Amino acid sequence: MERLKTYRVSFLFLILLLFAALLINISFGSVAIPIDEIVTTLIGGEASKSSWHFIILDYRLPKAVVAVLAGGGLAVSGLLMQTLFRNPLAGPFVLGISSGASLGVALLILGAGAFGGYVSGLLLSQWSLVLAAAMGSFLVLLTVLVVTFRIKDTMAILIIGLMFGSITAAVVAVLSYFSNAEQLQQYIFWSFGSLGNQSWQGVAMLSLFCGGGFLLSFLRSKSLNALLLGENYAKSMGLHLKRTTFWIIIITSILAGSITAFVGPIAFVGLAVPHLTRQWFTTSNHFTLIPAVMLCGSILMLICDTIAQLPFSEYTLPINAITSLVGAPVVIWLLVRKRKLLF
Amino acid sequence: MASEEQHTILDVHALAIGYALKKDKNVIAEGISFSLKQGTLVGLVGANGIGKSTLLRTLSGMQPPLEGSVLLQGEPFKSYSVLGLAAQLSVVLTETPASKNLTVQELISLGRQPYTNWMGRLSEIDIKVVNEAMEVTDTNSLSRRKCFELSDGQLQRVYIARALAQDTPLILLDEPTTHLDLYHRAYVLQLLKRLATEKNKCILFSTHEIDLAIQLSDLMVVMSSDGTFVDQPCNLITAGRFDALFPKDVIRFDPKTGRFGSIK
């Protein structure tokens, strides 16, 4: 028996790439900041301009950290869903998590008008958006879990997730019909996704959820590997199928749910990154894949965000659009090159 | 051939199989009794839809029996934990593993899951068992290849190797010869025969290769509309049990050659 590859060099390379992407991401923006100034600031020194110090520590660094967490988290939850449903097209939102979040936010923004000026101002603070999105995804998740325990077929969960997507989209459409232009714009801006404008408390909270999600998913690697053979084989090798399905759904919800709550729906990273990673790490072992997918997701998200903030200009493009613009061609390229998506 | 001092692995008594939907019971076959010992190769034959797969599912604990009892090593399935059962019984199913991106070595090593730690790390013993499984199924040279690169014949050997790596006294195979050419059908059944004798396994396989099964099996389970019969192949031929397998309008069993032939 040959020894299994450990991919040490690849991991080292990915980590270096992550730091490079992080520095470049912080460096570029409406104001370009030299890399050495960033390094000085990050290790506790003073930047030569005090405005740089402020921009780096209070604006760009939290945004970069959110990008790392969101990219990694979405990519890992995409991998989990692809393995659970053994479907290469599954992504973090197949369970309806982002539709749930959209519904929560839509109810908040589009419904807030009903309460009039003062109350709606109170309702629409940063935290209430996060809370509404979290509640929305939690509600959908709860329903999916209840259904999971009543049916035997895992694939049915997939269809139920899709149905929830349709229902929430319809409710949002009805709500939009009765709202004014300003509210609609606010809702649409939320749906563009935004990595920035997070307080350090927000970043800390997101790190907590994502860190927990990463750890739990890594601990489930053995079960995930068994699922690669299909449910019947997995059961015959001593896997508790229901328990495993339950945990995978919970982990995905923690990761995708908290990320959607903080930064809004972000498309394609969760679907594309696992496939990209498999081109490089030619293994199906989740002990290797989970950290690899996490790193690749973070790097891709940092790159997308660097593009989205349109260096040297004052404009910022919606991150959700950029991830699709980058992600969709990647999936097409993979399909054309390999003819099929393996997982 | 199983000798008398070999101990019994699987004991089936007055078994009725089928599906229970609320109050309705859909009995597919009943009155099945046999006991299987170590070192025996058992062929299960029957027409399409007669209940071969249902019997295999019942014997592997995936589906509860409607009546009667199935004892594995003297204990009913209910008394086994999921992991405990995985150490007693391994399966080769007709469904192909969901991921074809696995390498052969990864797939076979997954058979060690009931024995590995939470990380699935292979110990010295695990590696030794996997190596043996690859050697006996002649899959050594394939170990680095991805499953999507393999032919059906090679894949079947890999699946059998995975079941071997699981290191269980009982192996159940659901139609391991489908989609294979004549050479590979004979190869797979001879491999199973060798595993039963050399590794002292109890192996039960369902198949449509009735003539090959008659030649190689120690015991055969014949499921027909007349009932389910279990005996040595030669006794079953004398008793005319194979005649009842299929309707007699197209093919007929020739007891002299042990084969089915077309009616001219």
Side-chain angles (χ1 to χ4, degrees):
Chain A
M1 180 162 158
E2 296 166 62
R3 280 202 51 193
L4 294 167
K5 272 167 92 178
T6 51
Y7 294 99
R8 278 213 189 96
V9 181
S10 305
F11 272 118
L12 199 68
F13 182 72
L14 275 182
I15 290 170
L16 290 177
L17 203 63
L18 179 69
F19 277 107
L22 192 79
L23 287 179
I24 291 169
N25 181 274
I26 296 176
S27 162
F28 284 119
S30 50
V31 184
I33 302 175
I35 302 267
D36 53 332
E37 296 279 348
I38 297 169
V39 175
T40 320
T41 313
L42 290 186
I43 56 176
E46 279 292 324
S48 49
K49 287 190 196 171
S50 64
S51 65
W52 285 358
H53 190 82
F54 170 74
I55 291 175
I56 294 171
L57 286 187
D58 284 346
Y59 184 71
R60 291 197 188 165
L61 184 61
K63 182 161 70 91
V65 173
V66 170
V68 168
L69 292 171
L74 289 174
V76 168
S77 34
L79 175 69
L80 295 187
M81 288 295 100
Q82 285 171 9
T83 302
L84 177 66
F85 295 115
R86 293 169 295 285
N87 186 326
L89 282 179
F93 300 132
V94 286
L95 297 177
I97 289 168
S98 72
S99 355
S102 311
L103 183 65
V105 170
L107 280 174
L108 180 74
I109 296 178
L110 309 177
F115 295 99
Y118 177 71
V119 185
S120 63
L122 200 68
L123 280 174
L124 292 179
S125 72
Q126 176 76 34
W127 282 101
S128 59
L129 279 182
V130 170
L131 206 65
M135 296 271 282
S137 16
F138 184 71
L139 208 71
V140 169
L141 166 77
L142 211 64
T143 328
V144 170
L145 274 182
V146 169
V147 176
T148 309
F149 277 100
R150 303 206 68 187
I151 51 172
K152 277 189 174 166
D153 189 3
T154 316
M155 296 308 148
I157 305 173
L158 200 59
I159 298 169
I160 287 161
L162 284 173
M163 291 304 111
F164 272 113
S166 302
I167 295 170
T168 48
V171 174
V172 171
V174 170
L175 282 174
S176 328
Y177 186 76
F178 290 107
S179 12
N180 59 41
E182 204 180 317
Q183 292 168 328
L184 270 180
Q185 195 187 28
Q186 202 179 4
Y187 174 73
I188 289 172
F189 268 47
W190 176 82
S191 70
F192 283 160
S194 161
L195 298 171
N197 297 326
Q198 297 293 341
S199 64
W200 276 110
Q201 286 110 303
V203 175
M205 209 155 159
L206 186 60
S207 319
L208 199 70
F209 283 119
C210 288
F214 291 141
L215 189 69
L216 284 173
S217 57
F218 191 70
L219 292 178
R220 288 278 139 191
S221 297
K222 184 179 170 183
S223 318
L224 288 162
N225 286 342
L227 276 177
L228 289 174
L229 290 189
E231 289 179 6
N232 285 328
Y233 272 118
K235 269 194 274 186
S236 84
M237 296 188 302
L239 182 90
H240 293 272
L241 190 63
K242 283 244 152 144
R243 202 186 291 173
T244 305
T245 309
F246 175 80
W247 272 108
I248 294 176
I249 292 179
I250 291 283
I251 295 166
T252 306
S253 315
I254 294 175
L255 286 171
S258 64
I259 291 164
T260 312
F262 278 94
V263 305
I266 293 196
F268 259 110
V269 174
L271 172 78
V273 169
H275 292 299
L276 265 177
T277 314
R278 285 189 197 98
Q279 302 297 308
W280 186 353
F281 292 79
T282 56
T283 175
S284 298
N285 189 346
H286 287 77
F287 280 106
T288 310
L289 268 186
I290 288 178
V293 161
M294 194 174 95
L295 286 169
C296 288
S298 300
I299 293 166
L300 188 78
M301 195 59 135
L302 283 171
I303 294 172
C304 285
D305 181 53
T306 311
I307 299 171
Q309 63 202 3
L310 284 181
F312 316 117
S313 79
E314 282 169 27
Y315 296 102
T316 310
L317 298 177
I319 183 74
N320 195 3
I322 300 298
T323 50
S324 295
L325 280 176
V326 175
V330 163
V331 174
I332 294 171
W333 171 71
L334 284 180
L335 271 171
V336 171
R337 212 177 64 124
K338 301 274 275 192
R339 288 204 194 86
K340 57 179 173 182
L341 288 177
L342 292 158
F343 64 97
Chain B
M1 187 80 21
S3 61
E4 283 311 308
E5 63 267 31
Q6 291 280 40
H7 96 182
T8 303
I9 301 286
L10 192 67
D11 202 12
V12 178
H13 183 69
L15 178 69
I17 56 170
Y19 298 87
L21 284 169
K22 300 212 171 113
K23 278 172 194 163
D24 293 339
K25 272 189 187 172
N26 181 14
V27 180
I28 292 178
E30 53 189 336
I32 307 170
S33 298
F34 55 84
S35 77
L36 306 180
K37 292 181 161 48
Q38 280 180 303
T40 352
L41 179 66
V42 189
L44 167 61
V45 296
N48 285 333
I50 199 83
K52 294 193 298 297
S53 293
T54 314
L55 179 59
L56 282 176
R57 289 175 58 84
T58 312
L59 295 184
S60 61
M62 290 183 200
Q63 179 176 336
L66 291 182
E67 272 168 50
S69 66
V70 180
L71 299 180
L72 179 61
Q73 307 269 31
E75 304 277 343
F77 279 114
K78 274 186 195 142
S79 69
Y80 286 98
S81 67
V82 186
L83 265 180
L85 189 61
Q88 293 297 333
L89 165 75
S90 57
V91 291
V92 175
L93 305 166
T94 42
E95 63 189 81
T96 54
S99 169
K100 295 244 173 150
N101 200 28
L102 288 162
T103 65
V104 167
Q105 186 177 310
E106 281 176 329
L107 196 154
I108 298 173
S109 303
L110 281 177
R112 296 304 296 168
Q113 280 225 342
Y115 310 99
T116 51
N117 65 0
W118 67 274
M119 278 194 72
R121 183 182 287 280
L122 299 175
S123 69
E124 293 289 315
I125 301 165
D126 295 324
I127 291 173
K128 191 169 146 268
V129 177
V130 170
N131 276 332
E132 277 174 12
M134 292 206 286
E135 207 146 297
V136 74
T137 52
D138 199 18
T139 44
N140 266 328
S141 55
L142 305 174
S143 72
R144 281 276 167 133
R145 302 266 293 275
K146 295 259 180 186
C147 286
F148 65 84
E149 302 171 326
L150 303 184
S151 72
D152 284 337
Q154 291 169 325
L155 270 177
Q156 200 60 52
R157 266 154 47 205
V158 172
Y159 301 157
I160 293 172
R162 190 213 59 84
L164 276 179
Q166 207 174 323
D167 197 19
T168 56
L170 176 63
I171 303 177
L172 301 178
L173 304 95
D174 195 359
E175 303 200 7
T177 52
T178 10
H179 303 307
L180 303 187
D181 61 29
L182 184 60
Y183 172 83
H184 282 97
R185 277 179 275 178
Y187 181 96
V188 163
L189 293 191
Q190 278 176 15
L191 170 65
L192 294 180
K193 173 78 183 167
R194 213 165 66 230
L195 293 175
T197 4
E198 286 171 17
K199 305 261 172 184
N200 211 19
K201 304 264 182 202
C202 177
I203 301 179
L204 175 63
F205 68 99
S206 69
T207 187
H208 290 295
E209 300 306 313
I210 296 167
D211 40 348
L212 276 172
I214 288 175
Q215 290 168 40
L216 291 168
S217 307
D218 301 310
L219 279 179
M220 281 185 80
V221 180
V222 179
M223 294 180 84
S224 67
S225 44
D226 295 353
T228 303
F229 307 98
V230 186
D231 210 332
Q232 293 172 14
C234 48
N235 297 343
L236 287 165
I237 294 177
T238 332
R241 297 302 182 199
F242 292 102
D243 294 325
L245 266 180
F246 303 111
K248 296 186 182 60
D249 52 347
V250 181
I251 47 171
R252 189 152 288 165
F253 186 75
D254 180 357
K256 286 190 205 104
T257 58
R259 290 166 194 277
F260 279 89
S262 172
I263 295 172
K264 293 198 180 96

